[in-house]
Amino acid sequence: MKQKILIVDDERSIVTLLKFNIEKAGFQTDIAYDGREAIKKAMHEQFNLIVLDLMLPEMDGMEVCKYLRNNKIDTPILMLTAKDEEFDKVLGLELGADDYLTKPFSPKEVIARIKAILRRTNKQVPYQNSSIKIGELTVYPERYEAEKGNKVIAFTRKEFELLIYLLNNKGKVISRDQLLSGVWDYDFVGDTRIVDVHISHLREKIEPNTRRPVYIKTIRGLGYKLEEPIDENTIY
């Protein structure tokens, strides 16, 4: 069965262009012309990916993205925008978008991004065990969750992919560029702040004290390292 993609844009010419090229690449498509229609379809139908414009009537793309993620709709989102501001880019990814493409764009680039996102999301989590223990944290790869004590911690998909990547490289110093390549699958030239934002979110969820992280350490000038926390009773 063909994978199905929801195209959300109020510009008819853009919708026509996207629909033609996405279907030509072998996908099925559906269309929404405003934010509320997009939410309604995404909540009640099954899509493999959403191509979501930032500037929409009713609700903008940021609001749509935030609403879907808050309601546990984890469909991958490729956000489109006519703006080229780093703040918008980081905020969109921070709210749960998987990728970001600035207009004007080539149809080939859109298809390449769609395939890259689907390739990432279809990857099997490398751990075969049902859970991974590190410090007081127990990570459940299949559930995209972790537990700390009796508290369940929920993650966005990108936060969880970042956590798993760090777990796969436990004890190693990983540069921001390596994280961009390994977790986002291609380079955001000069946009390593995206990594810092997601690391900050992870720390807020797993660290006992974000000012003194014990799991995800910052290695100044190099990057980040995930390590087994040291028992505080042994710290001098």
Side-chain angles (χ1 to χ4, degrees):
M1 183 179 291
K2 291 183 179 180
Q3 293 177 299
K4 192 174 183 180
I5 294 174
L6 177 62
I7 301 168
V8 187
D9 201 308
D10 63 325
E11 294 185 53
R12 304 275 171 162
S13 59
I14 297 293
V15 170
T16 300
L17 178 68
L18 288 171
K19 179 178 172 63
F20 173 80
N21 285 280
I22 290 172
E23 290 182 352
K24 185 179 178 182
F27 300 97
Q28 288 183 309
T29 63
D30 197 357
I31 296 166
Y33 292 102
D34 63 60
R36 293 190 185 279
E37 184 183 8
I39 286 175
K40 184 177 179 180
K41 289 192 173 186
M43 295 285 289
H44 295 95
E45 300 177 40
Q46 188 70 39
F47 295 98
N48 298 96
L49 184 140
I50 301 171
V51 178
L52 177 65
D53 188 42
L54 176 62
M55 303 303 293
L56 293 168
E58 302 292 337
M59 296 175 69
D60 66 27
M62 296 289 195
E63 293 175 301
V64 172
C65 186
K66 184 177 181 180
Y67 184 92
L68 293 178
R69 295 304 186 239
N70 286 344
N71 285 274
K72 310 301 182 185
I73 302 299
D74 208 26
T75 307
I77 294 174
L78 171 60
M79 189 168 283
L80 305 178
T81 178
K83 297 181 180 180
D84 191 19
E85 299 174 359
E86 183 183 5
F87 174 79
D88 284 338
K89 188 169 190 176
V90 172
L91 180 59
L93 295 169
E94 183 178 352
L95 289 176
D98 294 81
D99 203 347
Y100 190 106
L101 193 56
T102 303
K103 297 177 181 178
F105 50 77
S106 71
K108 287 184 178 180
E109 186 174 13
V110 175
I111 300 303
R113 297 289 183 94
I114 288 172
K115 289 181 177 179
I117 294 171
L118 292 175
R119 187 167 61 247
R120 287 199 306 268
T121 56
N122 289 333
K123 283 181 181 177
Q124 295 295 316
V125 176
Y127 283 101
Q128 298 301 315
N129 298 330
S130 59
S131 65
I132 311 119
K133 181 78 173 174
I134 178 169
E136 296 181 354
L137 197 67
T138 305
V139 182
Y140 299 95
E142 293 182 358
R143 288 158 41 187
Y144 276 59
E145 288 180 347
E147 288 181 359
K148 189 176 180 184
N150 295 320
K151 182 181 177 182
V152 175
I153 305 170
F155 301 91
T156 67
R157 183 176 56 254
K158 192 55 60 183
E159 290 167 359
F160 196 78
E161 288 175 359
L162 179 57
L163 177 60
I164 290 294
Y165 190 90
L166 290 168
L167 282 167
N168 277 331
N169 293 277
K170 180 181 171 183
K172 299 178 182 177
V173 178
I174 309 297
S175 72
R176 290 171 174 83
D177 287 335
Q178 285 176 299
L179 289 170
L180 284 172
S181 177
V183 178
W184 280 265
D185 202 39
Y186 68 93
D187 294 333
F188 288 106
V189 179
D191 285 336
T192 54
R193 185 177 157 210
I194 295 166
V195 171
D196 296 333
V197 167
H198 283 78
I199 290 288
S200 176
H201 286 183
L202 276 181
R203 283 174 169 164
E204 287 172 4
K205 294 182 177 183
I206 70 173
E207 297 285 0
N209 183 348
T210 56
R211 294 186 178 183
R212 296 181 61 188
V214 296
Y215 290 99
I216 304 174
K217 299 292 186 68
T218 300
I219 310 302
R220 193 174 299 277
L222 296 175
Y224 296 101
K225 179 173 69 170
L226 185 139
E227 60 185 18
E228 194 79 32
I230 300 172
D231 189 334
E232 289 186 358
N233 294 326
T234 66
I235 299 175
Y236 55 89

